[in-house]
Amino acid sequence: MDNIAGTKSSLTWAVNISVVVLVVLWLFPTLGLLISSFRTADQIATSGWWKAMFPSEQNLVLRTGDPDDERVERDGVFVVEGNLFATGSEAEISVWGTSSREISAYEAGETADLGDGETMTVESNGDYVWTGDAEQLTGRGQRIFATAVTPPEFTLDNYKTVLFSGSPTDNMARAFFNTLTVTIPATIIPIVVAAFAAYALAWMDFRGRALLIAVIVGLLVVPLQLALIPLLKLHLGIGIGKGYLGVWLAHTGFGLPLAIYLLRNYMVGLPRDIIENAKVDGATDFQIFTKIILPLSFPALASFAIFQFLWTWNDLLVAKVFLIDASGETTVMTNQIVELLGTRGGNWEILATAAFVSISVPLIVFFAMQKYLVRGLLAGSVK
Amino acid sequence: MAELKLTNVGKVYGGKVEVLKDINMHIATGELIVFVGPSGCGKSTLLRMVAGLEKITSGTLEIDGVVMNDVPPSQRGIAMVFQSYALYPHMTVYDNMAFALKIAKKSKSEIDAAVRKAAGLLQLTDYLDRLPKALSGGQRQRVAIGRSIVRDPKVYLFDEPLSNLDAALRVATRIQIAELKESMPDSTMIYVTHDQVEAMTLADKIVVLADKGIAQMGSPLDLYERPENEFVAQFIGSPAMNLLHGTIKGTGKQTEIDLTHGHIAIADIETQAAEKGQEVNVGVRPEDFRIAEEGEHVFFEGAVDYVEALGEVTLLYFKAEGDADPMIAKLPGTHSDLRGQTVKLTADPARVQVFHQGLSLRTR
Ligand SMILES: Nc1ncnc2c1ncn2[C@@H]1O[C@H](COP(=O)(O)OP(=O)(O)OP(=O)(O)O)[C@@H](O)[C@H]1O
Ligand SMILES: [Mg+2]
């Protein structure tokens, strides 16, 4: 008994640890990508994305207002007052100085004696008071070297560039819609075809059914690359050429064996009595399919739809072969990112943003449908 | 309003496995027929052939004089209740019952009336909006029955409809089916079961299937009192009928049989002198034995090996000789003190069966 309990708990531990490892492996890069996409090029260059979440200490070079414009006379002395930061900044100064050799000469709030009665006071929020006579307060503003803690700062500029700038090299928006145009029909068509085929293979009696199933299982292991060139030749030969129709057909063809196989296995597991009862009730095969089989197969349909969607969304190879032509009008996101790597190789913020745009939809789909994914995968195996 | 006629019906699966052959039967309008038989004897197969879910490989099936061999299930005028209920899990009780009528394109009001009437009959009105998974086993079974009633079929087919229910519910539902049958005297029903009590109480006629064919067909009491062969004799009744080997010794109005274990059995069966010396099996039901009083003819004598006191009756098990089944006697009342004692038993000659080569001499 002890033994069994022991192995069970160590197994549980192994499961828990591997889950944690998987989550970390998945979460960190995704999070990094997301955060980087909201940072400027400078921020990315100077600090890692994990630091962007927390306030950071920076050495700043600031300048007071120009005395020629802003000085006022008060009780015989001239005064320049103002704030060192742009409005809305939440930085907090801890120490400061007026010379580059001594940047931490004074605490925030301290008054510095700059000689001959000239003084400077800097508060931690950046408010300063600079006093002196007419001669001392002339020309440009005084330079202030300050060590300040600045809160995290994020920007939407990258998304503006990538989605709305309209520049042909950076533009992900068009590629995004092209990808959708490829993906949605390339998900729906194979599911519809496969559902019909799976019903026939599971529940209709006809000659050669077993052979057909065997052929489909065989097709599961045929590598897609094998068919690329002959298929493209065929498409060009019959006049489809490169374009959406071609890529839909290709994705449908490549997705069908797995779809039929999965759905047939699921449908075969539905109780025979229910289907026979529907037959006695007078339903035709088509009515049995639409009214009984389809609703009951929803988990399997959904889980296959997720697979097919993700696979076509992330596909580059099939799109390159069957869709993207020299005009570049029909480029998809995966291809656009490859091109960005060439044209914007150094601009990490643009690349991160483009990458995040392209994974956002799969993420949404995954989280919205995950319960069907689990249910659909289990449904065939567990009664 | 339907009579069924099966002529030489046979079933061969996949061209090799012969399950049934030469089944002949006639079922009159309004009869409730029960199929019984050992597991795997083809009861479900025969029922499914009547339903049209299984192809009839030979012979003909007629309903109301029309050959139905190639008519699809929905046009045979039958309704079937499956052992597993086979409710549509994604539809409410209402939709389950309305499904067949919707397929048949009946009007909304007609469907509604039919469903509500059936639901009222089966006390399902409160559950019409529920999904099957939110019902108890008994309620599901009633929905399955309701679904068949709604279609107003000529023939009802039940395949072990109560076998998934617990004992108490089984009795309640059995009575409900009996009442249902009474309220629909014109509808013909075929009912498959393993349960003897169900068979005996519900059936107008029982068909015992065995060895690819019909072993006997008749009213429940007929089968109990006048079994035509050893198989039916042992299959009907519980515990099974005792069989004792012997040879015919005296013939005439009554037959005397010399039993192998030493005593003499007397049966009210007429035999000819020529039959003297034939090897026979004598059959006595456990409940027909009683303890022999002083001076009475003794049929069987043996030591009680084991006693089962069930309250209203007591079962006595006697030591078996060789590999024969143990003899069983069922006595009214409690007799726990008989264990280990030697008991003398006798039986009414009118209730003793004699089988020669498996066939009853009483019904020949
Ligand atoms: N599709 C099939 N192919 C071959 N043999 C079959 C097939 N279906 C049933 N059988 C055989 O036919 C015989 C009768 O089966 P059936 O289901 O009619 O038995 P049953 O009397 O209903 O048994 P039970 O009381 O256990 O339900 C069985 O021996 C079974 O093995
Ligand atoms: Mg059966």
Side-chain angles (χ1 to χ4, degrees), chain A residues 271-284 287-288 291-293 295-296, chain B residues 48 53 73-74 78-80 82 84 86-91 99-100 103 105 147 151:
Chain A
R272 162 174 237 111
D273 286 357
I274 292 184
I275 290 147
E276 289 185 336
N277 194 73
K279 269 188 200 154
V280 175
D281 274 349
T284 61
Q287 284 169 322
I288 293 175
K291 301 205 157 131
I292 313 278
I293 301 281
L296 292 182
Chain B
R48 290 163 57 80
L53 294 170
S74 57
I78 52 118
M80 183 145 171
F82 291 81
S84 63
L87 301 181
Y88 308 125
H90 58 298
M91 297 184 195
F99 184 77
I103 294 280
K105 301 218 157 52
R147 201 163 55 168
R151 296 181 50 211

Side-chain angles (χ1 to χ4, degrees), chain B residues 214-227:
Chain B
I214 297 177
Q216 190 175 348
M217 178 166 171
S219 75
L221 288 184
D222 226 24
L223 260 56
Y224 180 78
E225 284 167 358
R226 303 165 55 78

Side-chain angles (χ1 to χ4, degrees), chain B residues 13 17 19 37-46 83 159-160 192 194:
Chain B
Y13 275 115
V17 190
V19 178
S39 189
C41 69
K43 306 179 294 288
S44 299
T45 305
L46 187 54
Q83 175 178 351
D159 193 355
E160 305 193 28
V192 171
H194 268 123

Side-chain angles (χ1 to χ4, degrees), chain B residues 41-317:
Chain B
C41 69
K43 306 179 294 288
S44 299
T45 305
L46 187 54
L47 197 73
R48 290 163 57 80
M49 286 198 289
V50 174
L53 294 170
E54 212 72 76
K55 247 193 123 38
I56 298 173
T57 34
S58 62
T60 54
L61 161 74
E62 290 169 48
I63 299 179
D64 280 343
V66 183
V67 176
M68 287 288 173
N69 285 36
D70 295 318
V71 177
S74 57
Q75 286 156 36
R76 294 189 180 195
I78 52 118
M80 183 145 171
V81 176
F82 291 81
Q83 175 178 351
S84 63
Y85 318 136
L87 301 181
Y88 308 125
H90 58 298
M91 297 184 195
T92 61
V93 169
Y94 185 97
D95 288 334
N96 260 287
M97 298 215 268
F99 184 77
L101 300 181
K102 278 184 192 158
I103 294 280
K105 301 218 157 52
K106 293 266 168 48
S107 76
K108 265 224 161 64
S109 55
E110 209 175 335
I111 293 176
D112 197 63
V115 170
R116 288 194 188 280
K117 186 170 156 227
L121 207 60
L122 294 163
Q123 294 128 46
L124 286 170
T125 311
D126 292 343
Y127 307 112
L128 284 177
D129 294 331
R130 294 223 196 144
L131 286 177
K133 66 172 179 228
L135 295 177
S136 73
Q139 291 162 344
R140 285 181 207 177
Q141 187 57 65
R142 296 211 297 270
V143 176
I145 294 172
R147 201 163 55 168
S148 62
I149 296 177
V150 164
R151 296 181 50 211
D152 193 21
K154 292 192 277 190
V155 183
Y156 288 86
L157 307 175
F158 295 91
D159 193 355
E160 305 193 28
L162 308 185
S163 60
N164 282 354
L165 305 180
D166 67 37
L169 206 54
R170 220 187 264 201
V171 173
T173 317
R174 188 178 79 213
I175 291 170
Q176 222 162 19
I177 291 179
E179 284 170 353
L180 192 71
K181 177 71 191 68
E182 232 159 73
S183 70
M184 300 185 297
D186 282 343
S187 40
T188 310
M189 294 188 181
I190 304 181
Y191 192 107
V192 171
T193 183
H194 268 123
D195 187 317
Q196 295 238 351
V197 184
E198 261 169 54
M200 299 301 277
T201 52
L202 288 174
D204 293 319
K205 252 194 227 163
I206 295 180
V207 177
V208 182
L209 291 174
D211 199 17
K212 302 178 187 174
I214 297 177
Q216 190 175 348
M217 178 166 171
S219 75
L221 288 184
D222 226 24
L223 260 56
Y224 180 78
E225 284 167 358
R226 303 165 55 78
E228 283 173 8
N229 49 49
E230 282 179 15
F231 179 81
V232 174
Q234 290 212 292
F235 190 80
I236 302 286
S238 160
M241 182 184 276
N242 299 298
L243 287 181
L244 298 152
H245 189 253
T247 47
I248 295 181
K249 184 180 159 212
T251 56
K253 275 250 180 274
Q254 283 196 328
T255 306
E256 284 180 22
I257 299 119
D258 218 353
L259 296 175
T260 324
H261 66 71
H263 288 274
I264 288 184
I266 305 170
D268 275 350
I269 296 173
E270 199 176 326
T271 41
Q272 314 301 321
E275 287 170 302
K276 198 174 265 182
Q278 274 185 351
E279 301 226 341
V280 292
N281 280 333
V282 175
V284 187
R285 293 199 180 277
E287 54 270 35
D288 289 339
F289 272 133
R290 60 191 160 78
I291 292 178
E293 282 159 28
E294 274 305 310
E296 242 184 331
H297 165 74
V298 174
F299 194 118
F300 175 82
E301 184 176 352
V304 177
D305 192 28
Y306 189 68
V307 176
E308 275 181 351
L310 303 177
E312 53 164 337
V313 292
T314 304
L315 294 180
L316 306 182
Y317 291 80

